[in-house]
Amino acid sequence: ETEETVRKFSTEESVKVVCAILHRQAGSRRRKLSGDKPSTRLLTPPSVATRCPALFWSLYADSRTDPSDEAAPGDVAFALDHVTTLAMGKYEADVKAMQAAEETA
């Protein structure tokens, strides 16, 4: 048996990982403050599977309709879309906090 085990992320951890990806894709602080949106091109199931297998398998496990049934398939694309939406909200809140800090400085 060659089954590999990977760390399982909670939903909150998955959102943090995706938010970090968004921050990295957005670029510099200056670009973020000017309103540039991050690229989501790395947030596709194949890209996530290649770059962060733990996130991929966590999303897969969370999206299975019947977690007790090993044969029940998961929908990674649906789960990733949900997590990306939550992470984008966190990203936008982070940028607003950065803008507020710039205004008070």
Side-chain angles (χ1 to χ4, degrees), residues 9-27:
F9 291 124
S10 67
T11 301
E12 294 80 21
E13 290 172 317
S14 295
V15 170
K16 286 180 183 178
V17 169
V18 172
C19 189
I21 292 168
L22 292 172
H23 274 286
R24 177 125 181 153
Q25 288 297 102

Side-chain angles (χ1 to χ4, degrees), residues 10 16-17 23-26 29 31 38 42-43 51 63-64 67 73 75 85-86 97:
S10 67
K16 286 180 183 178
V17 169
H23 274 286
R24 177 125 181 153
Q25 288 297 102
R29 179 179 180 85
R31 286 185 58 202
L42 295 179
L43 296 174
R51 289 175 173 85
S63 67
R64 291 182 42 218
D75 187 348
T85 300
L86 295 174

Side-chain angles (χ1 to χ4, degrees), residues 26-84:
S28 69
R29 179 179 180 85
R30 182 187 54 77
R31 286 185 58 202
K32 290 176 194 173
L33 293 174
S34 71
D36 283 1
K37 294 287 184 194
S39 168
T40 57
R41 67 181 175 82
L42 295 179
L43 296 174
T44 63
S47 294
V48 170
T50 302
R51 289 175 173 85
C52 190
L55 177 60
F56 177 87
W57 289 112
S58 295
L59 293 170
Y60 179 83
D62 287 346
S63 67
R64 291 182 42 218
T65 53
D66 184 3
S68 63
D69 180 6
E70 289 295 319
D75 187 348
V76 174
F78 177 78
L80 183 58
D81 185 52
H82 174 70
V83 168
T84 301

Side-chain angles (χ1 to χ4, degrees), residues 1-5:
E1 195 171 310
T2 60
E3 186 172 317
E4 203 176 314
T5 58

